[in-house]
């Protein structure tokens, strides 16, 4: 496959031909929030147009948040950012357009040529740090800085997607989801649901530079829970990194955000060490080398291309007027916007049902196997090994649990029979450090109590003691409301955290770990959807896992949240 076909992919049958006057020339890629297309301005300048996914487009809370982020991103003007050209959160579909950056992403460059040399790493860090100065100056925290969001142009790096990071707001549609961000490039405070600030982006900058130097994530690979555990609880191993970069990266990776340098300090540190190479022409030459040969950008699309007709006796079809979405190939009349919206909702519902059914089948088969005698012996062996690697046991617990079902009890029973202790493996709770067989006097594990009906709205609240009891006039500790910023869960004492990953990843251990440092008493629901999992912990130490079944926020005065709740009492 050539570089051209890797970068510019042909349009698919369901891709729009034009969005807000931008004619689509090719696909550039797809992400958690939508599909990115190559297009051109009227003057012929290439732009990247991101079209929001239908699931998000149907959410009015997301549209409001997306609109605010577009407005904020318009203020970002920096030499190392991809400038926002225009956008419309109220469009059909919502979209935004940025200048197209001719060059590979950092992820692609490292995969193609391997780790970057020191001069290129210094250029990378200086450019990305300068981009963060511009982004933070506009009042934005990127929240998802990572190699795939750094493009390598001929004259330096470009940071992208800074205008939509907060709009996603832990949406279930992001590739890695959860608290906003990608686990391998999160900061400790981000992983535990604490306050996210500009210093969070500095931590991600160091992780991105380390990836470019090593060819792999600094904190290793594996399940999201394992990676987050290492980020929160362990010091990074900098011994494999180039020696000249270690002092700066060590400061950027400080666990305390207050101890990290500012982007301006990073820029100054890198430029001081680049001066000798820059005077000799070394750094620019190395930077041009990592980009590889330039790839020709396709020409602007001037006329719509008719879809091919595949009928046995096809005849030529007269050119149709240009519309936002291509005509169906079988000659049916194009759907109206209302029909398209209803079709998207039906498709999303069918997909959700299929995914849920598959997840239930896999979960049932998993516990069926794990309860056999052979796997009992295997779990017992794993519990002994957990002393050397506590994160391995945590990963097994997270991947084998299912939210809001009796399978959680089955998992606890299987672990008890094998003599394992999830709390000890995670470094929380009262388990013994060696993962040895539980003694008869050891405290029993919290029992999962399912509540199939959980409902909150503007008038009715709830408690973890009995989530199905509806309390009026805000008497419960878990309340729901829709203000100008969108609908949210809120409490005076309980803390909330939306889970990462696909539905079905939540469990007692994952909630207990992720809530260990959580301090937020509010949770915006702009990105939450059916199947989204939310961990809750009250002041009494009870932990709950809420799985959303229905979120109705289109009419704020009649808005409500319905789901099922699993509660583990005295589990914190």
């Amino acid at each position: 496959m050539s570089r051209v076909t890797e970068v510019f992919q042909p349009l698919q049958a369901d891709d729009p031909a034009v969005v807000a006057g931008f004619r689509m020339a090719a696909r550039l890629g797809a992400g958690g929030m939508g599909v990115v297309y190559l297009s051109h301005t009227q003057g012929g300048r290439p732009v990247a147009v991101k079209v929001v996914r239908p699931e998000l487009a149907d959410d009015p809370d997301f549209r409001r948040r997306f609109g605010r982020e577009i407005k904020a991103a318009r203020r970002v003007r920096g030499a190392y950012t991809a400038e926002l050209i225009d956008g419309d959160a109220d469009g059909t579909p919502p979209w935004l357009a940025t200048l197209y950056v001719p060059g590979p992403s950092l992820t692609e460059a490292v995969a193609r040529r391997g780790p970057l040399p020191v001069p290129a790493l210094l250029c990378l860090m200086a450019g990305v740090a300068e981009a963060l100065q511009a982004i933070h100056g506009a009042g934005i925290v990127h929240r998802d800085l990572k190699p795939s969001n750094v493009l390598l142009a001929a004259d330096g790096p470009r940071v992208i997607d800074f205008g939509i990071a907060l709009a996603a707001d832990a949406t279930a549609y992001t590739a890695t989801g959860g608290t906003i961000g990608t686990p391998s490039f999160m900061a400790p405070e981000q992983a535990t649901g604490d306050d996210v600030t500009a210093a969070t982006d500095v931590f991600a900058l160091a992780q991105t530079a380390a990836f470019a130097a090593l060819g792999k994530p600094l904190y290793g690979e594996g399940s999201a829970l394992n990676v987050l555990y290492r980020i929160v609880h362990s010091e990074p191993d900098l011994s494999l990194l180039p020696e000249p970069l270690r002092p700066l990266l060590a400061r950027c990776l400080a666990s305390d955000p207050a101890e990290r340098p500012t982007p301006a300090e990073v820029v100054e540190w890198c430029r001081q060490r680049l001066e000798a190479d820059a005077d000799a022409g070394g750094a620019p030459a190395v930077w041009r080398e990592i980009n590889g040969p330039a790839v020709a950008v396709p020409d602007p699309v001037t006329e719509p291309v008719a879809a091919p007709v595949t009928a046995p006796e096809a005849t030529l079809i007269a050119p149709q007027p240009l519309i936002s979405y291509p005509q169906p190939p079988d000659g049916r009349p194009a759907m109206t916007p209302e029909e398209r919206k209803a079709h998207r909702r039906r498709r999303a519902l069918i997909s959700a049902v299929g995914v849920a059914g598959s997840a239930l089948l896999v979960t049932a088969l998993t516990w069926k196997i794990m309860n056999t005698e052979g796997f009992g012996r295997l779990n017992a062996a794993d519990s002994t090994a957990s002393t050397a690697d506590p994160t391995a046991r945590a990963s097994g617990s997270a991947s084998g649990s299912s939210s809001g079902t009796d399978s959680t009890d089955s998992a606890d029973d299987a672990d008890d029979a094998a003599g394992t202790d999830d709390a000890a493996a995670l470094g929380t709770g009262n388990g013994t450090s060696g993962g040895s067989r539980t003694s008869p006097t050891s405290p029993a594990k919290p029992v999962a109590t399912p509540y199939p009906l959980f409902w909150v709205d503007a008038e009715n609240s709830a408690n973890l003691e009995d989530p199905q009891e509806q309390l009026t006039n805000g008497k419960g500790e878990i309340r729901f409301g829709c203000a100008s910023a969108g609908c949210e869960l809120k409490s005076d004492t309980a803390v909330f955290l939306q889970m990462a990953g696909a539905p079905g990843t939540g469990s007692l251990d994952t909630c207990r770990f992720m809530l260990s440092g959580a301090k937020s008493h509010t949770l915006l629901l702009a990105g939450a959807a059916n199947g989204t999992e939310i961990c809750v912990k009250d002041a009494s130490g009870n932990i709950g896992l809420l799985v959303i079944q229905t979120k109705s926020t289109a009419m704020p005065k009649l808005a409500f949240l319905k789901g099922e709740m699993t509660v583990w009492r005295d589990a914190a």
Side-chain angles (χ1 to χ4, degrees):
M1 182 181 293
S2 68
R3 287 280 314 280
V4 174
T5 54
E6 287 179 353
V7 177
F8 306 109
Q9 306 159 20
L11 297 178
Q12 299 179 6
D14 58 347
D15 285 329
V18 63
V19 173
F22 289 101
R23 297 181 188 274
M24 304 297 105
R27 264 188 174 229
L28 294 175
M33 289 186 61
V35 182
V36 185
Y37 301 95
L38 174 72
S39 186
H40 299 78
T41 65
Q42 291 185 353
R45 192 172 186 183
V47 294
V49 180
K50 182 183 286 287
V51 178
V52 173
R53 291 184 182 277
E55 299 93 331
L56 291 174
D58 288 340
D59 188 338
D61 291 335
F62 170 83
R63 284 180 179 264
R64 286 193 290 270
R65 185 175 296 276
F66 189 47
R68 290 197 298 272
E69 291 305 301
I70 290 176
K71 184 177 180 180
R74 292 183 195 276
R75 303 195 298 268
V76 177
R77 294 290 184 271
Y80 297 104
T81 59
E83 181 180 339
L84 179 69
I85 299 299
D86 201 358
D88 185 6
D90 297 321
T92 306
W95 61 276
L96 61 79
T98 62
L99 288 179
Y100 171 70
V101 179
S105 71
L106 180 58
T107 303
E108 295 165 342
V110 170
R112 187 175 67 242
R113 71 172 312 281
L116 274 55
V118 171
L121 291 170
L122 291 171
C123 290
L124 173 73
M125 292 194 69
V128 173
E130 188 169 327
L132 290 179
Q133 284 183 279
I135 294 169
H136 297 162
I140 301 174
V141 178
H142 194 298
R143 298 168 181 257
D144 197 19
L145 181 63
K146 56 186 177 182
S148 61
N149 280 337
V150 178
L151 304 182
L152 307 185
D155 58 349
R158 297 290 190 277
V159 175
I160 62 173
D161 273 2
F162 52 83
I164 61 175
L166 182 58
D169 196 23
T171 173
Y173 304 107
T174 56
T176 54
T179 53
I180 304 173
T182 303
S184 294
F185 301 95
M186 280 187 177
E189 65 272 15
Q190 195 174 12
T192 57
D194 209 340
D195 293 336
V196 173
T197 65
T200 302
D201 287 343
V202 174
F203 194 99
L205 165 61
Q207 291 172 299
T208 299
F211 172 86
L214 299 174
K216 59 184 180 180
L218 178 62
Y219 287 89
E221 298 174 320
S223 69
L225 182 62
N226 279 356
V227 173
L228 293 176
Y229 182 94
R230 291 192 288 268
I231 290 174
V232 173
H233 294 287
S234 64
E235 294 293 329
D237 181 8
L238 305 183
S239 62
L240 299 178
L241 293 171
E243 193 278 332
L245 294 179
R246 293 176 195 171
L248 176 61
L249 293 180
R251 291 184 60 199
C252 293
L253 293 168
S255 57
D256 184 357
E259 297 179 3
R260 299 170 198 160
T262 65
E265 291 175 312
V266 174
V267 172
E268 182 63 24
W269 193 94
C270 293
R271 284 181 176 172
Q272 288 178 358
R273 286 150 184 82
L274 277 170
E275 286 179 355
D277 282 333
D279 292 339
V286 171
W287 185 261
R288 287 192 296 271
E289 179 187 344
I290 68 174
N291 283 13
V295 178
V297 178
D299 294 329
V301 176
T302 56
E303 295 293 338
V305 180
V309 180
T310 58
E313 299 180 358
T315 58
L316 293 177
I317 299 178
Q320 299 295 318
L322 187 64
I323 58 173
S324 294
Y325 289 85
Q327 292 279 12
D330 58 3
R332 292 174 296 166
M335 292 186 289
T336 66
E338 291 76 16
E339 290 172 334
R340 284 197 300 270
K341 187 173 182 180
H343 175 71
R344 289 197 303 267
R345 286 176 172 170
R346 287 195 299 271
R347 185 171 57 186
L349 178 60
I350 293 171
S351 299
V353 171
V355 170
S358 299
L360 288 174
L361 177 59
V362 171
T363 301
L365 291 174
T366 300
W367 293 126
K368 176 75 173 179
I369 295 172
M370 289 183 67
N371 281 331
T372 63
E373 180 180 357
F375 272 76
R377 289 193 297 269
L378 179 60
N379 284 342
D382 287 344
S383 68
T384 304
S386 67
T387 305
D389 185 6
T391 62
R393 184 65 190 91
S395 174
S397 174
S399 62
S401 301
S402 176
S403 59
T405 66
D406 290 340
S407 63
T408 308
D409 292 333
S410 300
D412 289 342
D413 293 341
D415 286 342
D416 288 340
T420 59
D421 193 328
D422 292 342
L426 280 170
T428 58
N430 300 320
T432 59
S433 60
S436 59
R437 184 174 299 276
T438 305
S439 67
T441 59
S442 298
K445 287 189 175 183
V447 176
T449 304
Y451 295 89
L453 177 61
F454 174 87
W455 177 293
V456 285
D457 55 31
E459 301 295 332
N460 296 281
S461 55
N463 289 328
L464 284 183
E465 285 296 334
D466 185 0
Q468 293 186 155
E469 180 184 6
Q470 293 186 349
L471 304 172
T472 58
N473 300 324
K475 294 179 180 179
E477 59 191 0
I478 303 175
R479 302 188 298 277
F480 174 87
C482 297
S484 57
C487 298
E488 62 182 8
L489 289 174
K490 50 190 175 181
S491 175
D492 295 328
T493 57
V495 293
F496 306 91
L497 187 69
Q498 188 167 315
M499 288 296 299
T505 59
S507 68
L508 170 60
D509 287 334
T510 53
C511 282
R512 182 157 48 191
F513 169 70
M514 299 300 289
L515 289 168
S516 61
K519 299 178 181 178
S520 178
H521 296 291
T522 61
L523 178 65
L524 290 173
L525 298 170
N530 294 350
T532 295
E533 298 175 337
I534 298 172
C535 295
V536 189
K537 180 173 67 176
D538 66 14
S540 301
N542 301 318
I543 291 179
L545 179 64
L546 169 63
V547 182
I548 296 178
Q549 293 176 333
T550 305
K551 184 189 77 168
S552 176
T553 58
M555 302 178 65
K557 292 184 178 180
L558 302 176
F560 66 89
L561 187 71
K562 176 187 175 184
E564 58 182 17
M565 178 80 81
T566 302
V567 177
W568 295 269
R569 292 183 172 79
D570 298 322

